[in-house]
Amino acid sequence: MKNKFSFILILTGAVLILSALFLCLYNIIEDKKSGENAAQVLGVLKKEIVVSEETTEAVLPETTDILSEKTTAEAEMLEKQVENYSYIGYISIPKLDIELPVMSSWSYAGLNISPCCYSGSAADDNLIIAAHNYSSHFRRISKLNSGDEIYFTDIDGNVYSYEVTSTEIINGNDASAMYNDDDNSWDLTLFTCTLDGRNRITVRAVKADA
């Protein structure tokens, strides 16, 4: 009886270890795939967006029929369709050496490709961007410190410069805490899940010229 119980424990342990290894391998594969997908989309966006070195005005190619305007009050942000998804631009974080496209709206399927606009817009100074905790996406944003630079380039070619003001951990169930407070303290928010998925690593930033 004792030997049988020991065998069951060993077997259970082996199954748990194999499951953990499989999950780890799956996450690594998904991380790599997401990084490759994001890089492909970024390449398409950069071919469509030409930013003047002297101003932030864009020179768009003649294929403007593939662009669609938001009809909401979100500063008439333009979107670029790449395959089955729409994008509003791309984000650059020099300290982390990452540059990623930003999808126009968030979904679980979309997050597997690139960071997504969770809410707001850059022009309205309330942009919130969410991304998976992939090494190729937002895993390292907790390393950002006050004063670090973040740039967002929209489809219209406007470049928005930000400086990090703070990093905080927000309870994953407290969605309201992600938004601006009464003082409108932030112009940009980035967030991703912690490894256990219970909380959100949240980076706040303001316009560099503010």
Side-chain angles (χ1 to χ4, degrees):
M1 184 69 180
K2 183 177 180 180
N3 290 336
K4 184 178 180 180
F5 181 70
S6 298
F7 174 76
I8 292 174
L9 286 178
I10 293 172
L11 182 60
T12 302
V15 170
L16 290 174
I17 292 172
L18 288 174
S19 298
L21 289 174
F22 175 79
L23 181 59
C24 182
L25 180 61
Y26 174 81
N27 287 335
I28 291 173
I29 293 173
E30 286 298 302
D31 191 332
K32 185 175 185 296
K33 185 190 300 182
S34 294
E36 292 172 349
N37 289 337
Q40 290 177 359
V41 174
L42 182 64
V44 173
L45 292 180
K46 283 198 163 187
K47 287 180 180 178
E48 297 291 340
I49 304 171
V50 180
V51 181
S52 169
E53 294 181 358
E54 297 181 357
T55 70
T56 58
E57 295 181 358
V59 180
L60 292 177
E62 295 181 358
T63 55
T64 53
D65 57 313
I66 57 177
L67 301 178
S68 60
E69 277 189 50
K70 281 185 178 287
T71 57
T72 65
E74 292 183 3
E76 298 183 340
M77 291 176 63
L78 293 176
E79 299 178 9
K80 169 73 171 69
Q81 188 82 13
V82 181
E83 295 186 354
N84 298 323
Y85 296 95
S86 294
Y87 296 83
I88 57 171
Y90 59 91
I91 186 170
S92 306
I93 309 178
K95 181 177 180 178
L96 304 182
D97 193 27
I98 60 175
E99 198 166 49
L100 296 161
V102 179
M103 208 169 283
S104 60
S105 59
W106 83 273
S107 67
Y108 290 111
L111 286 170
N112 286 328
I113 299 173
S114 78
C116 299
C117 175
Y118 183 77
S119 178
S121 73
D124 287 338
D125 298 334
N126 59 0
L127 181 59
I128 302 176
I129 300 175
H132 268 321
N133 192 5
Y134 292 149
S135 60
S136 57
H137 288 185
F138 278 7
R139 177 176 297 175
R140 295 177 291 138
I141 62 171
S142 61
K143 298 183 182 298
L144 292 173
N145 298 315
S146 180
D148 287 338
E149 299 172 329
I150 301 174
Y151 301 96
F152 175 74
T153 304
D154 67 16
I155 295 299
D156 214 16
N158 301 303
V159 180
Y160 298 84
S161 301
Y162 304 92
E163 289 183 356
V164 173
T165 58
S166 63
T167 300
E168 57 186 310
I169 303 295
I170 292 178
N171 188 298
N173 295 319
D174 189 2
S176 62
M178 199 60 63
Y179 297 91
N180 249 319
D181 55 20
D182 294 335
D183 296 328
N184 293 323
S185 302
W186 317 292
D187 300 317
L188 174 70
T189 294
L190 312 180
F191 75 91
T192 189
C193 295
T194 53
L195 289 176
D196 60 13
R198 296 179 180 177
N199 299 303
R200 306 288 180 263
I201 301 170
T202 307
V203 172
R204 309 290 194 180
V206 297
K207 282 186 174 177
D209 57 352

